[in-house]
Amino acid sequence: MIKEIKQIECSKMPSILGGGLSGLSAAFYLLQKGVSGRQIQLFEASARYGGWIKSVQQKGGEFIFECGPRTIRPVGESGRNTLALLEALKLEQEIVPILKSSPAARRRMIYVNGQLHVLPSSLMGALKKQSPFSRPLVAALFHDIRTGKSPELLEDESMYSFVHRRFGQEIADYAISPMICGICAGNAKEISVKFLMKDLFANEQQYGGVVRGMLGSALSSKNKKTNQDASKLAQRAKTEKWSIYSLKGGLETLPKTLFQHLNENYVKITPNSECISMNFGKNGVDLQFRDSTEATESVVAALPSYKLSEIVKQQHPMLSEMLSGIPYVDVGVVNVQYSSPDVLKEQGFGFLAAPLEKIPILGVIFDSCCFDTKPNTVLTVMMGGHWFREYFGESPKEGDLLATAQKYLKEILKIQESPTESRVNILRKCIPQYIPTFGSEVYSTMRCVPSASWSE
């Protein structure tokens, strides 16, 4: 996002399509770049801002139901950018970190072979044989070294294929497949390795193995200067050893604060304005809405690919076809609350279910272990994803999803009580599924469109 914003000239009047976190952030970075707020227009198709991020206060704020994303990782370039954003918005005091030493960070579980298994969280744990794996996890590294260089240079492949090839079937089935369910509610056999592990894949292709690649990459970058800890907040996260974090009042505090910041800086924000077509000309872009047409000089499209596909279809049919070909999945999110703090016997972040189990839930997040919800126990059950229609059909009832969630909470976590409060959300087409080689082709095509900035 930041790299694309840098390419928009300050003298141009930019328009932003989409009022989710990407669109709001785009407007923020344009302000940071020196563009006057009065020059920036942001259009949102609905009456609400924040996209899939939605935090619902329960019992006057006694606890929160997160209906979508709930935590942020502080590492990597995107993690550091987000911390810098929070610092600029003066949200430092609102951060609720989960430290690497906490049970929520150290105890992450998978549901395999009808049982919960705690994944190793230390080097000592990786050196020991631990169920459900038949060998210590460190053996997977030796498997990678013995495998050697791939007989051919690959353009891309699925996450499952890559991990199976480099580390063996157990790691692919019991570790990576559940992990993909947690990251993008997808099937590891269909998700691109270049989308999620681009650097590892590139190093393997260059150095002949993942372990060799990690060592080679570390040595080559040893003397390079970096500004990765540019913000004070990033330094704090590193010093205090944050694993993940959220915000007081829920993660929706971030888009709400962004919205307030944009309003204070006179950004023109228009709700209930769905763009239906976009036409590029020599002098700019015409945006067609239901009842009006807006002329602008540049566009940041912070929209799902299937929506952007329809908007550019008339003028750029090939791009439209590629965008519409990116599959999305539906996810059922069931939040439950119990009045007793003793309902949950396990401690940890939660568990992910291996697809081999063939059950309709992707996993369960133990909100009560991550954040202070006393005296309540709060859990979130994630359901469906790649397999949503297989298990729930085209138009499931919310009551059916709640009943299914309770069924598996009883079977897996031995929770016999019915929840005191609950909330069911069916998030339609909420997560894109980037299949091998597809994402890079779309990005390359989009870059050929004049006066456009691409935002996933």
Side-chain angles (χ1 to χ4, degrees):
M1 171 66 74
I2 296 176
K3 294 177 182 178
E4 300 304 318
I5 293 299
K6 288 180 178 178
Q7 296 179 12
I8 297 179
E9 296 178 14
C10 292
S11 60
K12 290 187 175 182
M13 179 177 288
S15 293
I16 299 166
L17 299 179
L21 186 57
S22 293
L24 296 172
S25 299
F28 172 85
Y29 289 123
L30 284 169
L31 290 173
Q32 293 287 94
K33 192 172 184 282
V35 181
S36 168
R38 298 182 191 277
Q39 290 183 290
I40 304 170
Q41 302 180 92
L42 187 150
F43 301 96
E44 164 57 34
S46 71
R48 180 184 170 276
Y49 300 92
W52 295 115
I53 301 176
K54 185 176 182 180
S55 308
V56 180
Q57 304 281 336
Q58 301 290 134
K59 289 188 177 180
E62 186 174 310
F63 60 92
I64 297 167
F65 280 164
E66 291 283 14
C67 305
R70 67 203 54 230
T71 56
I72 304 173
R73 298 181 71 240
V75 299
E77 182 180 6
S78 60
R80 294 188 293 271
N81 288 340
T82 305
L83 289 170
L85 172 63
L86 293 172
E87 190 171 299
L89 292 170
K90 296 180 170 52
L91 285 172
E92 299 99 318
Q93 300 305 314
E94 303 303 308
I95 293 175
V96 183
I98 297 176
L99 305 183
K100 292 181 179 179
S101 59
S102 70
R106 291 187 293 104
R107 285 180 59 85
R108 293 174 182 263
M109 292 169 277
I110 53 173
Y111 183 68
V112 174
N113 299 328
Q115 293 183 329
L116 288 175
H117 306 269
V118 179
L119 292 171
S121 60
S122 65
L123 177 60
M124 289 302 296
L127 294 173
K128 299 177 181 178
K129 177 184 172 183
Q130 193 165 325
S131 179
F133 304 99
S134 62
R135 297 182 299 170
L137 289 187
V138 72
L141 301 181
F142 291 109
H143 184 283
D144 172 69
I145 294 171
R146 289 195 305 270
T147 299
K149 191 172 183 178
S150 172
E152 59 179 336
L153 290 177
L154 301 174
E155 183 70 22
D156 197 358
E157 64 181 316
S158 73
M159 281 292 302
Y160 187 92
S161 172
F162 175 74
V163 173
H164 187 285
R165 182 166 58 82
R166 299 307 321 181
F167 301 109
Q169 184 172 349
E170 282 191 344
I171 301 298
D173 284 337
Y174 299 157
I176 292 301
S177 291
M179 184 187 78
I180 298 302
C181 289
I183 293 175
C184 57
N187 184 348
K189 295 180 179 179
E190 297 182 9
I191 298 296
S192 163
V193 66
K194 287 179 70 174
F195 166 61
L196 286 180
M197 294 185 178
K198 183 177 181 180
D199 291 341
L200 286 184
F201 181 73
N203 285 340
E204 185 250 3
Q205 294 292 295
Q206 179 179 352
Y207 293 99
V210 174
V211 175
R212 291 189 180 95
M214 292 174 66
L215 293 173
S217 180
L219 290 172
S220 65
S221 61
K222 184 177 180 180
N223 297 319
K224 290 183 180 179
K225 293 183 179 181
T226 177
N227 63 346
Q228 63 180 13
D229 294 330
S231 72
K232 292 181 180 179
L233 200 50
Q235 294 175 15
R236 177 185 156 195
K238 186 175 182 180
T239 301
E240 295 179 2
K241 298 182 179 180
W242 297 359
S243 173
I244 52 178
Y245 64 92
S246 188
L247 298 169
K248 294 177 183 176
L251 199 58
E252 195 176 351
T253 298
L254 175 53
K256 284 181 176 179
T257 306
L258 275 169
F259 179 82
Q260 180 181 348
H261 179 82
L262 300 182
N263 264 327
E264 291 171 353
N265 284 273
Y266 308 107
V267 173
K268 183 181 179 181
I269 305 175
T270 309
N272 300 310
S273 298
E274 181 180 5
C275 182
I276 57 177
S277 71
M278 182 191 306
N279 294 292
F280 296 90
K282 292 182 179 180
N283 299 319
V285 189
D286 287 332
L287 301 176
Q288 180 67 50
F289 296 89
R290 298 291 179 187
D291 302 315
S292 64
T293 300
E294 295 282 345
T296 186
E297 294 180 322
S298 59
V299 177
V300 177
L303 300 172
S305 59
Y306 60 88
K307 289 188 177 180
L308 185 58
S309 168
E310 291 299 315
I311 294 174
V312 301
K313 187 175 183 178
Q314 184 175 353
Q315 193 174 30
H316 296 283
M318 185 177 74
L319 172 62
S320 174
E321 183 179 357
M322 295 180 71
L323 289 169
S324 66
I326 299 176
Y328 279 68
V329 297
D330 302 335
V331 176
V333 180
V334 180
N335 306 102
V336 293
Q337 172 262 340
Y338 305 88
S339 297
S340 169
D342 301 320
V343 172
L344 184 64
K345 307 304 179 184
E346 296 283 353
Q347 293 293 305
F349 185 79
F351 72 85
L352 293 170
L356 287 174
E357 293 301 294
K358 297 187 182 302
I359 59 176
I361 71 168
L362 302 168
V364 178
I365 299 168
F366 301 169
D367 300 272
S368 299
C369 295
C370 299
F371 308 107
D372 183 11
T373 63
K374 294 177 182 177
N376 306 284
T377 297
V378 181
L379 307 172
T380 303
V381 185
M382 315 299 289
M383 313 173 73
H386 174 82
W387 303 272
F388 189 91
R389 284 171 174 75
E390 176 183 339
Y391 290 115
F392 301 110
E394 291 291 335
S395 303
K397 296 178 180 179
E398 291 185 358
D400 293 338
L401 268 69
L402 177 59
T404 301
Q406 288 184 252
K407 175 180 184 292
Y408 286 96
L409 289 174
K410 180 178 180 180
E411 289 184 7
I412 298 173
L413 296 177
K414 313 305 179 187
I415 297 176
Q416 305 299 324
E417 297 98 317
S418 295
T420 306
E421 292 193 31
S422 63
R423 185 182 183 93
V424 178
N425 287 271
I426 300 175
L427 311 183
R428 296 291 191 182
K429 301 181 76 170
C430 62
I431 306 179
Q433 307 292 286
Y434 293 109
I435 58 180
T437 72
F438 201 74
S440 58
E441 291 178 5
V442 172
Y443 184 83
S444 298
T445 304
M446 189 63 183
R447 297 286 291 163
C448 298
V449 177
S451 303
S453 290
W454 170 252
S455 171
E456 294 179 357

